[in-house]
Amino acid sequence: MELLERRIREDGIVKKGNVLKVDNFLNHQMDIDLFNEMGKEFRRLFEGKTINKILTIEASGIGIACIVAQYFHVPVVFAKKTQSINIDGEVYSTKIESFTHKRVYDVIVSRKYLGPEDHILIIDDFLANGCAVSGLIDIIEHAGATVEGIGIAIEKGQQIGGRMLREKGYQVESLAIIDSMDDETGEIRFRHEK
Ligand code: 5GP
């Protein structure tokens, strides 16, 4: 998606450790006009799919998912990161290793909001090694629900997540795929520029 790539080039900051900061428009301050364009594009890319719910993970996925949901007219459920794991059976839970914070979170979704009747579109801001999305898939499988697709704003194509998920047969649609980024020069190359 050209609009998003242009914005990444203009405002993205490449940090050490293969981290892209996009706080100016995606992860802290949020550009809602841009999110709306992303919502329209996801609607187009997942045309024909039966989707009745969007699942994301707190915190950064929530804003994007809410705007995207307006184009699908479905509710958004977000997985919560928690310290205390609930063992009374009211929640689905899994563990997710955070790429940016280098720690493992317990993540939960209430059983009330996910079940076998649900057809889910997963939405997240970044796809790196695929831990966050794999955790969400794990929760969806526990619930007996169906993964209809995975919509990502920015995929870091130099990491394994996208390839791993596509090899498993999931429809992964990333609006911008980065193939390399240089923290010395700040240069970012997108996949289609190869
Ligand atoms: P994964 O679980 O695929 O390894 O990483 C995806 C998650 O880590 C996303 O939910 C996102 O919050 C965070 N993340 C991964 N890479 C980056 C990055 O380069 N920049 C930012 N801002 N977040 C990232």
Side-chain angles (χ1 to χ4, degrees):
M1 186 182 170
E2 208 195 319
L3 188 64
L4 179 59
E5 290 184 2
R6 208 182 324 131
R7 196 61 189 274
I8 293 169
R9 253 198 231 296
E10 279 168 12
D11 290 328
I13 299 166
V14 183
K15 296 280 191 187
K16 285 212 164 21
N18 200 24
V19 171
L20 178 68
K21 288 288 262 186
V22 285
D23 283 5
N24 172 283
F25 61 95
L26 199 89
N27 281 149
H28 195 20
Q29 175 168 261
M30 295 182 281
D31 183 335
I32 302 304
D33 285 341
L34 175 65
F35 284 18
N36 272 296
E37 292 309 313
M38 288 162 48
K40 286 180 207 165
E41 185 63 2
F42 282 132
R43 176 77 256 190
R44 191 184 67 77
L45 291 165
F46 292 104
E47 193 67 62
K49 291 266 179 176
T50 307
I51 289 162
N52 74 329
K53 209 165 270 184
I54 287 176
L55 181 65
T56 188
I57 180 165
E58 66 178 358
S60 307
I62 298 175
I64 300 169
C66 288
I67 302 294
V68 171
Q70 296 187 112
Y71 295 89
F72 289 84
H73 305 286
V74 298
V76 174
V77 176
F78 65 91
K80 295 187 177 196
K81 291 172 185 161
T82 174
Q83 304 287 355
S84 56
I85 192 74
N86 180 318
I87 49 163
D88 64 8
E90 288 173 1
V91 297
Y92 305 109
S93 71
T94 193
K95 288 188 188 299
I96 291 179
E97 185 176 347
S98 162
F99 176 77
T100 39
H101 299 114
K102 305 277 179 257
R103 53 166 288 196
V104 176
Y105 291 95
D106 285 306
V107 168
I108 58 161
V109 172
S110 167
R111 287 177 183 261
K112 276 190 273 190
Y113 304 124
L114 212 51
E117 67 286 0
D118 287 323
H119 291 259
I120 307 290
L121 174 62
I122 294 174
I123 293 285
D124 205 5
D125 59 343
F126 274 90
L127 176 59
N129 290 328
C131 297
V133 169
S134 297
L136 295 178
I137 291 173
D138 190 37
I139 283 177
I140 291 167
E141 285 176 350
H142 270 101
T146 307
V147 180
E148 292 291 345
I150 300 163
I152 301 292
I154 305 172
E155 176 177 336
K156 293 189 295 179
Q158 70 276 40
Q159 291 180 253
I160 58 164
R163 186 157 30 95
M164 182 256 298
L165 292 165
R166 290 184 183 99
E167 278 174 7
K168 286 184 176 170
Y170 295 108
Q171 182 183 351
V172 182
E173 302 288 356
S174 301
L175 302 183
I177 303 183
I178 291 171
D179 250 355
S180 64
M181 44 189 207
D182 187 327
D183 62 41
E184 305 259 305
T185 62
E187 195 197 354
I188 298 169
R189 288 183 76 82
F190 293 99
R191 176 152 298 178
H192 62 81
E193 295 172 328
K194 263 184 143 180

